[in-house]
Amino acid sequence: PDELTAKMKSFHDGLKPLADLAEQHNSWLAIENHGNSLLDSPDSFKAFVDLNPHPRVGIALAPYHVQAGGASVEEAIRIAGRQLLFFYAWQKQEELNQLPGHGPTDFQPWLAALAEVNYRWFVNPFMHGRVEPAALAAALAKSRDYLREKAQPAWTV
């Protein structure tokens, strides 16, 4: 924990010029969590949030990497709280099953946790890979509809 705190403080200190630039241009910096990186576990999310001095800096939460680490996505959302600036609707699966409504993950608890922390940004279906454009458009439409259905009654869409 001491090492995590020191590393996270150093990370935030290094962001100051970019955070100042974001403030100057009415922009935000969202730092993505990733496996085997500084921001990769519930403890690191807590350190990030607790030590973050920049009102224009927050977290871009990639549930894929949270699931890969065996942690709770809902817990990560709750820890990030108001500092959650971007949410990838992305599950740890292969190909199109990474998208909401395609793989086995129930996104309703994630969406409920987002509503609980008053998440105010977009929920962004996401995946890695190459898919033919027409098939991807159809898959994303299915994901959109799935997310709208699962968001009820937590949010009005």
Side-chain angles (χ1 to χ4, degrees), residues 64-75:
Y64 182 101
H65 299 301
V66 174
Q67 287 181 313
S72 165
V73 173
E74 296 91 333
E75 180 185 8

Side-chain angles (χ1 to χ4, degrees), residues 4-5 7-9 11-12 15 29-33 38-54 56-60 79-80 82-85:
L4 175 60
T5 298
K7 285 183 177 183
M8 193 63 74
K9 185 174 180 346
F11 177 75
H12 280 301
L15 285 178
L29 297 176
I31 310 302
E32 182 184 332
N33 62 295
L38 181 59
L39 190 58
D40 74 343
S41 68
D43 288 342
S44 65
F45 281 91
K46 179 127 178 55
F48 182 98
V49 168
D50 289 349
L51 297 170
N52 183 5
H54 311 295
R56 295 283 180 157
V57 174
I59 294 173
I79 291 169
R82 296 293 286 170
Q83 292 186 42
L84 182 57
L85 302 180

Side-chain angles (χ1 to χ4, degrees), residues 5-125:
T5 298
K7 285 183 177 183
M8 193 63 74
K9 185 174 180 346
S10 177
F11 177 75
H12 280 301
D13 289 346
L15 285 178
K16 184 170 179 8
L18 292 172
D20 290 346
L21 192 60
E23 180 75 34
Q24 180 183 353
H25 293 282
N26 195 28
S27 298
W28 303 85
L29 297 176
I31 310 302
E32 182 184 332
N33 62 295
H34 202 283
N36 300 316
S37 70
L38 181 59
L39 190 58
D40 74 343
S41 68
D43 288 342
S44 65
F45 281 91
K46 179 127 178 55
F48 182 98
V49 168
D50 289 349
L51 297 170
N52 183 5
H54 311 295
R56 295 283 180 157
V57 174
I59 294 173
L61 181 58
Y64 182 101
H65 299 301
V66 174
Q67 287 181 313
S72 165
V73 173
E74 296 91 333
E75 180 185 8
I77 291 167
R78 289 184 186 105
I79 291 169
R82 296 293 286 170
Q83 292 186 42
L84 182 57
L85 302 180
F86 191 92
F87 185 78
Y88 298 90
W90 183 26
Q91 62 188 303
K92 184 166 176 14
Q93 292 293 313
E94 298 296 321
E95 301 174 2
L96 286 174
N97 285 335
Q98 296 172 63
L99 292 171
H102 293 264
T105 300
D106 179 3
F107 278 65
Q108 193 161 18
W110 298 2
L111 296 169
L114 290 169
E116 182 183 315
V117 300
N118 296 314
Y119 178 69
R120 62 195 189 276
W121 306 99
F122 294 101
V123 173
N124 304 275

